[in-house]
mmCIF file with all atom_site columns, all heavy atoms in Angstrom:
data_model
loop_
_atom_site.group_PDB
_atom_site.id
_atom_site.type_symbol
_atom_site.label_atom_id
_atom_site.label_alt_id
_atom_site.label_comp_id
_atom_site.label_asym_id
_atom_site.label_entity_id
_atom_site.label_seq_id
_atom_site.pdbx_PDB_ins_code
_atom_site.Cartn_x
_atom_site.Cartn_y
_atom_site.Cartn_z
_atom_site.occupancy
_atom_site.B_iso_or_equiv
_atom_site.pdbx_formal_charge
_atom_site.auth_seq_id
_atom_site.auth_comp_id
_atom_site.auth_asym_id
_atom_site.auth_atom_id
_atom_site.pdbx_PDB_model_num
ATOM 1   N N   . GLN M 1 108 ? -0.849 2.353  17.872 1.00 93.00 ? 195 GLN M N   1
ATOM 2   C CA  . GLN M 1 108 ? -0.950 3.522  18.823 1.00 93.00 ? 195 GLN M CA  1
ATOM 3   C C   . GLN M 1 108 ? -0.905 2.873  20.236 1.00 93.00 ? 195 GLN M C   1
ATOM 4   O O   . GLN M 1 108 ? -0.309 3.446  21.138 1.00 93.00 ? 195 GLN M O   1
ATOM 5   C CB  . GLN M 1 108 ? -2.283 4.207  18.596 1.00 93.00 ? 195 GLN M CB  1
ATOM 6   C CG  . GLN M 1 108 ? -2.427 5.422  19.561 1.00 93.00 ? 195 GLN M CG  1
ATOM 7   C CD  . GLN M 1 108 ? -1.408 6.592  19.194 1.00 93.00 ? 195 GLN M CD  1
ATOM 8   O OE1 . GLN M 1 108 ? -0.730 6.483  18.126 1.00 93.00 ? 195 GLN M OE1 1
ATOM 9   N NE2 . GLN M 1 108 ? -1.340 7.574  20.098 1.00 93.00 ? 195 GLN M NE2 1
ATOM 10  N N   . GLU M 1 109 ? -1.507 1.679  20.349 1.00 94.00 ? 196 GLU M N   1
ATOM 11  C CA  . GLU M 1 109 ? -1.467 1.028  21.694 1.00 94.00 ? 196 GLU M CA  1
ATOM 12  C C   . GLU M 1 109 ? 0.039  0.690  22.136 1.00 94.00 ? 196 GLU M C   1
ATOM 13  O O   . GLU M 1 109 ? 0.390  0.825  23.264 1.00 94.00 ? 196 GLU M O   1
ATOM 14  C CB  . GLU M 1 109 ? -2.345 -0.144 21.725 1.00 94.00 ? 196 GLU M CB  1
ATOM 15  C CG  . GLU M 1 109 ? -2.517 -0.826 23.049 1.00 94.00 ? 196 GLU M CG  1
ATOM 16  C CD  . GLU M 1 109 ? -3.153 0.032  24.101 1.00 94.00 ? 196 GLU M CD  1
ATOM 17  O OE1 . GLU M 1 109 ? -4.000 0.921  23.685 1.00 94.00 ? 196 GLU M OE1 1
ATOM 18  O OE2 . GLU M 1 109 ? -2.961 -0.071 25.249 1.00 94.00 ? 196 GLU M OE2 1
ATOM 19  N N   . ILE M 1 110 ? 0.774  0.224  21.121 1.00 96.00 ? 197 ILE M N   1
ATOM 20  C CA  . ILE M 1 110 ? 2.160  -0.038 21.439 1.00 96.00 ? 197 ILE M CA  1
ATOM 21  C C   . ILE M 1 110 ? 2.910  1.174  21.884 1.00 96.00 ? 197 ILE M C   1
ATOM 22  O O   . ILE M 1 110 ? 3.705  1.221  22.881 1.00 96.00 ? 197 ILE M O   1
ATOM 23  C CB  . ILE M 1 110 ? 2.926  -0.635 20.197 1.00 96.00 ? 197 ILE M CB  1
ATOM 24  C CG1 . ILE M 1 110 ? 2.310  -2.049 19.808 1.00 96.00 ? 197 ILE M CG1 1
ATOM 25  C CG2 . ILE M 1 110 ? 4.363  -0.830 20.477 1.00 96.00 ? 197 ILE M CG2 1
ATOM 26  C CD1 . ILE M 1 110 ? 2.774  -2.607 18.543 1.00 96.00 ? 197 ILE M CD1 1
ATOM 27  N N   . ILE M 1 111 ? 2.670  2.339  21.191 1.00 95.00 ? 198 ILE M N   1
ATOM 28  C CA  . ILE M 1 111 ? 3.306  3.515  21.633 1.00 95.00 ? 198 ILE M CA  1
ATOM 29  C C   . ILE M 1 111 ? 2.828  4.004  23.003 1.00 95.00 ? 198 ILE M C   1
ATOM 30  O O   . ILE M 1 111 ? 3.694  4.471  23.823 1.00 95.00 ? 198 ILE M O   1
ATOM 31  C CB  . ILE M 1 111 ? 2.885  4.668  20.589 1.00 95.00 ? 198 ILE M CB  1
ATOM 32  C CG1 . ILE M 1 111 ? 3.541  4.298  19.213 1.00 95.00 ? 198 ILE M CG1 1
ATOM 33  C CG2 . ILE M 1 111 ? 3.421  6.063  21.020 1.00 95.00 ? 198 ILE M CG2 1
ATOM 34  C CD1 . ILE M 1 111 ? 3.086  5.209  18.110 1.00 95.00 ? 198 ILE M CD1 1
ATOM 35  N N   . ILE M 1 112 ? 1.597  3.862  23.300 1.00 94.00 ? 199 ILE M N   1
ATOM 36  C CA  . ILE M 1 112 ? 1.119  4.243  24.605 1.00 94.00 ? 199 ILE M CA  1
ATOM 37  C C   . ILE M 1 112 ? 1.683  3.322  25.667 1.00 94.00 ? 199 ILE M C   1
ATOM 38  O O   . ILE M 1 112 ? 2.126  3.870  26.775 1.00 94.00 ? 199 ILE M O   1
ATOM 39  C CB  . ILE M 1 112 ? -0.467 4.184  24.656 1.00 94.00 ? 199 ILE M CB  1
ATOM 40  C CG1 . ILE M 1 112 ? -1.025 5.283  23.806 1.00 94.00 ? 199 ILE M CG1 1
ATOM 41  C CG2 . ILE M 1 112 ? -0.989 4.290  26.102 1.00 94.00 ? 199 ILE M CG2 1
ATOM 42  C CD1 . ILE M 1 112 ? -2.482 5.216  23.560 1.00 94.00 ? 199 ILE M CD1 1
ATOM 43  N N   . LEU M 1 113 ? 1.739  2.038  25.508 1.00 95.00 ? 200 LEU M N   1
ATOM 44  C CA  . LEU M 1 113 ? 2.241  1.107  26.446 1.00 95.00 ? 200 LEU M CA  1
ATOM 45  C C   . LEU M 1 113 ? 3.747  1.404  26.755 1.00 95.00 ? 200 LEU M C   1
ATOM 46  O O   . LEU M 1 113 ? 4.179  1.219  27.860 1.00 95.00 ? 200 LEU M O   1
ATOM 47  C CB  . LEU M 1 113 ? 2.010  -0.315 26.002 1.00 95.00 ? 200 LEU M CB  1
ATOM 48  C CG  . LEU M 1 113 ? 0.686  -0.867 26.037 1.00 95.00 ? 200 LEU M CG  1
ATOM 49  C CD1 . LEU M 1 113 ? 0.575  -2.227 25.374 1.00 95.00 ? 200 LEU M CD1 1
ATOM 50  C CD2 . LEU M 1 113 ? 0.133  -1.011 27.491 1.00 95.00 ? 200 LEU M CD2 1
ATOM 51  N N   . ASN M 1 114 ? 4.435  1.874  25.743 1.00 96.00 ? 201 ASN M N   1
ATOM 52  C CA  . ASN M 1 114 ? 5.841  2.091  25.891 1.00 96.00 ? 201 ASN M CA  1
ATOM 53  C C   . ASN M 1 114 ? 6.085  3.582  26.402 1.00 96.00 ? 201 ASN M C   1
ATOM 54  O O   . ASN M 1 114 ? 7.261  3.927  26.736 1.00 96.00 ? 201 ASN M O   1
ATOM 55  C CB  . ASN M 1 114 ? 6.599  2.039  24.535 1.00 96.00 ? 201 ASN M CB  1
ATOM 56  C CG  . ASN M 1 114 ? 6.997  0.559  24.268 1.00 96.00 ? 201 ASN M CG  1
ATOM 57  O OD1 . ASN M 1 114 ? 7.978  0.113  24.777 1.00 96.00 ? 201 ASN M OD1 1
ATOM 58  N ND2 . ASN M 1 114 ? 6.192  -0.129 23.434 1.00 96.00 ? 201 ASN M ND2 1
ATOM 59  N N   . SER M 1 115 ? 5.063  4.382  26.501 1.00 94.00 ? 202 SER M N   1
ATOM 60  C CA  . SER M 1 115 ? 5.148  5.726  27.035 1.00 94.00 ? 202 SER M CA  1
ATOM 61  C C   . SER M 1 115 ? 4.653  5.959  28.443 1.00 94.00 ? 202 SER M C   1
ATOM 62  O O   . SER M 1 115 ? 5.035  6.742  29.168 1.00 94.00 ? 202 SER M O   1
ATOM 63  C CB  . SER M 1 115 ? 4.440  6.706  26.117 1.00 94.00 ? 202 SER M CB  1
ATOM 64  O OG  . SER M 1 115 ? 4.926  6.644  24.773 1.00 94.00 ? 202 SER M OG  1
ATOM 65  N N   . ASN M 1 116 ? 3.690  5.027  28.755 1.00 94.00 ? 203 ASN M N   1
ATOM 66  C CA  . ASN M 1 116 ? 3.051  5.149  30.069 1.00 94.00 ? 203 ASN M CA  1
ATOM 67  C C   . ASN M 1 116 ? 4.002  4.658  31.204 1.00 94.00 ? 203 ASN M C   1
ATOM 68  O O   . ASN M 1 116 ? 4.505  3.543  31.120 1.00 94.00 ? 203 ASN M O   1
ATOM 69  C CB  . ASN M 1 116 ? 1.733  4.245  30.088 1.00 94.00 ? 203 ASN M CB  1
ATOM 70  C CG  . ASN M 1 116 ? 0.905  4.424  31.302 1.00 94.00 ? 203 ASN M CG  1
ATOM 71  O OD1 . ASN M 1 116 ? 1.446  4.749  32.405 1.00 94.00 ? 203 ASN M OD1 1
ATOM 72  N ND2 . ASN M 1 116 ? -0.359 4.175  31.160 1.00 94.00 ? 203 ASN M ND2 1
ATOM 73  N N   . PRO M 1 117 ? 4.203  5.445  32.203 1.00 94.00 ? 204 PRO M N   1
ATOM 74  C CA  . PRO M 1 117 ? 5.105  5.098  33.284 1.00 94.00 ? 204 PRO M CA  1
ATOM 75  C C   . PRO M 1 117 ? 4.683  3.728  34.005 1.00 94.00 ? 204 PRO M C   1
ATOM 76  O O   . PRO M 1 117 ? 5.583  3.001  34.536 1.00 94.00 ? 204 PRO M O   1
ATOM 77  C CB  . PRO M 1 117 ? 5.102  6.278  34.278 1.00 94.00 ? 204 PRO M CB  1
ATOM 78  C CG  . PRO M 1 117 ? 4.595  7.445  33.498 1.00 94.00 ? 204 PRO M CG  1
ATOM 79  C CD  . PRO M 1 117 ? 3.758  6.888  32.414 1.00 94.00 ? 204 PRO M CD  1
ATOM 80  N N   . GLU M 1 118 ? 3.415  3.467  33.957 1.00 93.00 ? 205 GLU M N   1
ATOM 81  C CA  . GLU M 1 118 ? 2.949  2.293  34.643 1.00 93.00 ? 205 GLU M CA  1
ATOM 82  C C   . GLU M 1 118 ? 3.196  0.989  33.818 1.00 93.00 ? 205 GLU M C   1
ATOM 83  O O   . GLU M 1 118 ? 3.126  -0.067 34.400 1.00 93.00 ? 205 GLU M O   1
ATOM 84  C CB  . GLU M 1 118 ? 1.425  2.373  34.879 1.00 93.00 ? 205 GLU M CB  1
ATOM 85  C CG  . GLU M 1 118 ? 1.158  3.524  35.899 1.00 93.00 ? 205 GLU M CG  1
ATOM 86  C CD  . GLU M 1 118 ? -0.384 3.590  36.234 1.00 93.00 ? 205 GLU M CD  1
ATOM 87  O OE1 . GLU M 1 118 ? -1.093 2.716  35.703 1.00 93.00 ? 205 GLU M OE1 1
ATOM 88  O OE2 . GLU M 1 118 ? -0.780 4.537  36.931 1.00 93.00 ? 205 GLU M OE2 1
ATOM 89  N N   . THR M 1 119 ? 3.437  1.133  32.539 1.00 94.00 ? 206 THR M N   1
ATOM 90  C CA  . THR M 1 119 ? 3.581  -0.054 31.724 1.00 94.00 ? 206 THR M CA  1
ATOM 91  C C   . THR M 1 119 ? 4.881  -0.133 30.924 1.00 94.00 ? 206 THR M C   1
ATOM 92  O O   . THR M 1 119 ? 5.254  -1.194 30.417 1.00 94.00 ? 206 THR M O   1
ATOM 93  C CB  . THR M 1 119 ? 2.441  -0.143 30.665 1.00 94.00 ? 206 THR M CB  1
ATOM 94  O OG1 . THR M 1 119 ? 2.405  1.091  29.865 1.00 94.00 ? 206 THR M OG1 1
ATOM 95  C CG2 . THR M 1 119 ? 1.114  -0.265 31.355 1.00 94.00 ? 206 THR M CG2 1
ATOM 96  N N   . LYS M 1 120 ? 5.631  0.975  30.849 1.00 94.00 ? 207 LYS M N   1
ATOM 97  C CA  . LYS M 1 120 ? 6.775  1.036  30.002 1.00 94.00 ? 207 LYS M CA  1
ATOM 98  C C   . LYS M 1 120 ? 7.926  -0.002 30.323 1.00 94.00 ? 207 LYS M C   1
ATOM 99  O O   . LYS M 1 120 ? 8.595  -0.458 29.478 1.00 94.00 ? 207 LYS M O   1
ATOM 100 C CB  . LYS M 1 120 ? 7.352  2.479  29.966 1.00 94.00 ? 207 LYS M CB  1
ATOM 101 C CG  . LYS M 1 120 ? 7.788  3.015  31.276 1.00 94.00 ? 207 LYS M CG  1
ATOM 102 C CD  . LYS M 1 120 ? 8.225  4.459  31.171 1.00 94.00 ? 207 LYS M CD  1
ATOM 103 C CE  . LYS M 1 120 ? 9.359  4.658  30.208 1.00 94.00 ? 207 LYS M CE  1
ATOM 104 N NZ  . LYS M 1 120 ? 9.891  6.017  30.164 1.00 94.00 ? 207 LYS M NZ  1
#
Side-chain angles (χ1 to χ4, degrees):
Q195 185 69 9
E196 187 62 28
I197 295 173
I198 294 170
I199 291 170
L200 289 170
N201 277 279
S202 304
N203 187 334
E205 296 181 5
T206 57
K207 62 185 299 185

